[in-house]
Every structure is written in structure tokens, then in C-alpha cells.
Amino acid sequence: KTMGKGGPKKAKQKTAAPVAAASSSAAGGAFRSRAVGAVLLAAFAIGLQALLSSNAPSAEVPPPPPPRGPPPACPADWPACPRTAGVDWAAADAAEAESDLSPAALSEGLRGCNATALLSPQRVPGMHAICILPPPAGEERAAATLVVYDSMRRAEGGREGGRVVSLLLPARLSDASHVAAAVLRRLGVRPRPRTPSGQYQPAALFTDRGVRVVSVEGLLSLASGSGAGTGHYGGGAARALLLEGGQWLWPPVEVGHAHELTDLVAPGVVTRVVTLSLKPLVVEVENFLDGGENGHIIERAKPHMAKSGVALKDADKGKAAKEFRTSSQYFLPTTRDPTLEKIDRRVSWLTRIPISHAEYIQVLKYNHLEHYSAHHDYFDPAAYASNQQMLRSVEHGAKNRLATVFFYLNSLVGEGEAPESGGGQTNFPRAATAAYPDGGPPVHDYFDCSRGLSVYPQEGKIIIFYSMLPNGEMDDYSLHGGCDVLFSNATKWSANFWLWNKPYHFVDPARRRATKELTEEWI
């Protein structure tokens, strides 16, 4: 009451009481002490109530519901299993032990899934094809059966195929990352530890067209048919891929294989993503840019071109950039340019990597006999051990350039002329060939363009080559160089996007919109 309206008046009335009480007995003093204590206790209670009220959730944001179902149960050999209320991993393991999950028993579903169509004659480290099948009949402890083709390797030419392992997904599972953890457990793959400045990307699931799968509901929708066009092939079976590095790479299958994408370049137009090499992974897309886009990039960059630089490794400190690279370059921002923003979006949808992970376009100009010696696009922390800024920027190896999307903005030869007569090719000296099916030997002459795989300039064509393997490790076989332009009066114009495995810092409103559009397709 002393804190309410009229409180001061009542407080004054109480101050008059001691005149009469001064001559009262000791009991009166005790009474006054108890009264003061009651007032202080009331004030403390009101203050505590106000404090608690300020931290309480608002009516518009109800508290999360209590967990449903029994507490999570982990198998004895997997004490670190993902712990989600109601998910019984031990029961799923028991159901596996009681079921026949052999390929022979699942043959009908495996034919419907047809994951073997994505397998390769060579091992693809960190990429695994998955068939999603119904659980065994009457089995209530499981939501689905998964059949996993380890490292995408098929049997061919006397070589054994990769392992095939099967597992049951426990009922009530919701997070697709927990599915990835269960698959990696079966494959015996351990999570990579943190680096001094970062964490490696967690493994991720994708449809066979590169749509990221973030929920078990989305994964199971493929097999039910509601995910048609993204991995569903009828008969209650579907296929997906697990990539240990957490980002999408196109499954190579074999040299000459084509993934077909509709409506990427223009409505109704089919774009073919054709495999040129498995080691390193290089794919080609013709007519990705039209003549107007090629010319627009050149004209925007032309006034700003300057001699190219390089990020020198520890072993190369003190050397001039021209010892490695004699081209000219300009980093062309894609901001506030509708043509470049459209290309941004197209690159993101082709690679299935958010454009938030990209640097700006590097535009390149090579005149007669200009070149760039063979190099890697990734930054090897071991080669930059004395450069602390570089080590921090790549998080000591956890963050790096994943893919290069390389544009050929003009051709050097006319129709009917041999492309090699003009030079200017992109050369991969360690690419697998008939002579070296498992990849070429180490390189000693970094200017030699006669070995491995060469891709020649063709206006509007692009190639994508991956500097990292699907498991998130650097691919030493991705070594590549820009070869001499041979015609004395010719200029080669090209450009590239570097896409990282984690978000980069060149983000503007248009790139945020494009990233949001891509991520809204995730299931």
C-alpha cells in the first residue's frame, strides 16, 4: 500500500505514531520491527515479480512444447549418436539385425531407384549414392531403408565396385543431418576436427539434381513421389547423394556423360553438363552465355584492366608475379548491373552453390604469348604457413575455393579451323588419360601445355573445375594453367567465378535475393 496512490499520506500518518509509542512497552517496539520487515518483504516480492515478468516469453511466442516420446537411446557402439527425443537408434539397429537388407532381397526397389546409373569407374572420394526404400513390411521401428554405394565406384574392367551398405532410419527422425551422421557411421567415416580458426563443413544430403535436403520429411518425399523430378523413379524408391564436404559437385559418372537441365539459360532450353574429366572433376557447358553477355563483360572490364598479380607462397617470396603470370585482369563487381546479376543467378543455379559463396567476376585478357603457369586455385595452408592473414582467411584449411566457373568470352579460331592452332587453352597437366587412368604424375615444367587435358576457347562456353574433392579435401590433380595465345594479332578474353565452400564477403542485395531464391527450393 505504501507504493500505491495516496501512499505518501499514509506514510505521514505512520510517522506520527512514534510520539505515542515512545512511552509504550518493548512489545510495541517488536511490533514496529515486524511491520517494517513486512513492508520490505512486500517491496522485494513486487520487484522480483517485475523482473520475472520482463524475462517471460510474450503471448505471441509460446514456449516450445515438451519433448514427445521416450528419451533418445544410442547404441553401445555409437555413444555420440544424435540425441533427439523419441528417436531410438538402438531399436533401429535391432531391427536391422532382424531384417534381410541384402541387395538381393532389395533388388526390386534397387532397380526402381537406379542409383547405379550415377556410379563411376573410379572412386569419387566423399560422394556416396543412396537408394531410399520403404522399411521392411510391418517394421514400426524404422521410417525407411537406405542402401549406400560407397564412393560411387562401380565394378568395371576387373575392378571391384565400392562397398554397398544398408541401414534402417529410426522412426520419428526429422533432421537430415542426423541421416548423414548415420550413413557416415555405417561407412566408418569420422567427423573432421576443428581447425585453430574454423570448423569443417558438415556432410549434407542432396537430390540427384543438387537440391539440398534438410529434413527427413523432404528425403522421404522423394520416395513417395511428392518430390517428383528430383530423384523419384517410381515404385516407392528414390535416389539421393551424400557429400561429406557439405557442398554440391556434379556426379562425374564417366567421361562424356551429360546431366540435362531445363530452363537454366532460357525457357524451354536444355543445358547439358558434360563430364570432360573425372580426375580432376571438370565439366563443360556450351552456350551458357550469349553474345550480348560476352560483349557486356568485356566492355565493362576493358577500361580497368591491369597486369595480373599472384598470392605468393612461402617458397616463392621475393619473386615477381610476371615469373608466373603475364595476363591482365580486373575484378568486376556484379552489383547494380542487371546483366551481371542475371549471370550471378545462373551460375548459382548451375553449380547449386549459393552465390553468397562467390567472389566477383575476375575478367582476364591474354595477348600474344601471354600465359599463366600451372597453379592451384585453392590456398594450401601448408604453403602459406608464415602468412597469418591468409591462414585466418581460409580458417587453416576449413574454408577454401571449391569450384571455378571459367567463361570463354571469345573464340581464337574461325569455324573449321583446328582449335589448337590458336592456343589459349586451359590445360590440366595431371588429368587422367588413357596413359595415366588414375591421374598424371607430378609436374616439373609448369609451362608445358602438352600433357593431360586441354580445353580450347569457344565463345559462350564455360567449364567448371573443382579444386576440392567431395570430401572437402584439396584436390592436387586440379592443377591447371592458361596457355600461350599463338596468333600474333589475337586476344583471348575470359572470366571466372571462384566459389568457396563457405559464404564469402561479397554480398549485396541482389546476391541476397538470389541466395534466398536458391535456398527456398531446399526440401
Side-chain angles (χ1 to χ4, degrees), residues 169-390:
L169 284 188
R172 301 186 183 90
L173 198 62
S174 60
D175 191 334
S177 68
H178 297 170
V179 178
V183 172
L184 295 180
R185 173 206 177 199
R186 282 286 181 261
L187 295 175
V189 177
R190 294 181 178 274
R192 300 179 75 177
R194 285 185 60 88
T195 71
S197 57
Q199 177 67 54
Y200 287 97
Q201 290 279 83
L205 289 161
F206 298 86
T207 72
D208 60 4
R209 287 292 183 268
V211 177
R212 187 179 289 264
V213 179
V214 294
S215 69
V216 174
E217 180 183 6
L219 186 70
L220 299 183
S221 74
L222 302 177
S224 69
S226 58
T230 53
H232 176 65
Y233 291 88
R239 65 191 185 196
L241 289 102
L242 174 68
L243 283 89
E244 293 176 23
Q247 293 293 348
W248 175 254
L249 291 78
W250 283 103
V253 186
E254 60 190 7
V255 173
H257 178 83
H259 299 279
E260 295 189 344
L261 309 177
T262 305
D263 302 330
L264 177 68
V265 174
V269 174
V270 176
T271 299
R272 301 177 77 245
V273 182
V274 181
T275 301
L276 299 182
S277 169
L278 278 70
K279 195 171 188 176
L281 177 52
V282 184
V283 299
E284 173 186 78
V285 180
E286 294 188 355
N287 302 315
F288 184 79
L289 299 174
D290 62 35
E293 292 169 334
N294 294 324
H296 181 78
I297 293 173
I298 293 171
E299 291 306 313
R300 280 286 314 273
K302 191 178 289 185
H304 309 284
M305 301 301 290
K307 279 299 180 182
S308 302
V310 294
L312 292 173
K313 300 177 181 179
D314 291 351
D316 297 322
K317 284 186 175 180
K319 296 181 180 179
K322 64 182 181 181
E323 294 185 42
F324 309 94
R325 190 177 191 188
T326 56
S327 60
S328 300
Q329 71 178 49
Y330 173 62
F331 279 95
L332 176 60
T334 59
T335 56
R336 299 182 181 88
D337 185 319
T339 298
L340 299 183
E341 289 174 356
K342 185 169 66 172
I343 294 171
D344 259 0
R345 180 188 180 279
R346 197 182 308 156
V347 166
S348 180
W349 282 74
L350 170 65
T351 61
R352 289 293 172 179
I353 301 170
I355 201 63
S356 58
H357 293 44
E359 299 179 43
Y360 285 145
I361 302 175
Q362 180 189 218
V363 183
L364 299 163
K365 176 186 175 185
Y366 291 83
N367 290 322
H368 181 227
L369 297 183
E370 290 187 336
H371 54 259
Y372 190 177
S373 62
H375 60 283
H376 294 106
D377 280 354
Y378 61 69
F379 299 100
D380 183 355
Y384 296 90
S386 67
N387 189 334
Q388 292 302 311
Q389 181 180 357
M390 177 68 76

Side-chain angles (χ1 to χ4, degrees), residues 425-498:
Q425 69 268 38
T426 307
N427 177 253
F428 299 87
R430 299 199 66 189
T433 62
Y436 296 101
D438 295 319
V443 170
H444 300 288
D445 182 354
Y446 289 84
F447 295 92
D448 180 8
C449 288
S450 65
R451 308 194 317 179
L453 169 72
S454 286
V455 183
Y456 289 88
Q458 177 185 327
E459 183 175 340
K461 179 174 76 176
I462 71 167
I463 58 173
I464 307 171
F465 55 91
Y466 293 91
S467 296
M468 300 176 76
L469 297 166
N471 63 7
E473 296 178 0
M474 297 173 293
D475 186 0
D476 192 44
Y477 290 89
S478 66
L479 188 75
H480 62 282
C483 304
D484 287 338
V485 173
L486 300 181
F487 291 150
S488 60
N489 61 345
T491 297
K492 169 190 168 184
W493 286 93
S494 57
N496 66 267
F497 275 89
W498 279 310

Side-chain angles (χ1 to χ4, degrees), residues 199 201-202 212 246-247 353-359 392-395 398-402 498-507 511 515 519 522:
Q199 177 67 54
Q201 290 279 83
R212 187 179 289 264
Q247 293 293 348
I353 301 170
I355 201 63
S356 58
H357 293 44
E359 299 179 43
R392 286 191 298 270
S393 69
V394 298
E395 298 179 2
K399 179 179 180 179
N400 225 316
R401 286 174 175 164
L402 165 66
W498 279 310
L499 293 158
W500 291 64
N501 67 331
K502 290 186 177 185
Y504 204 67
H505 58 266
F506 292 158
V507 181
R511 285 193 163 188
T515 298
T519 57
W522 295 354

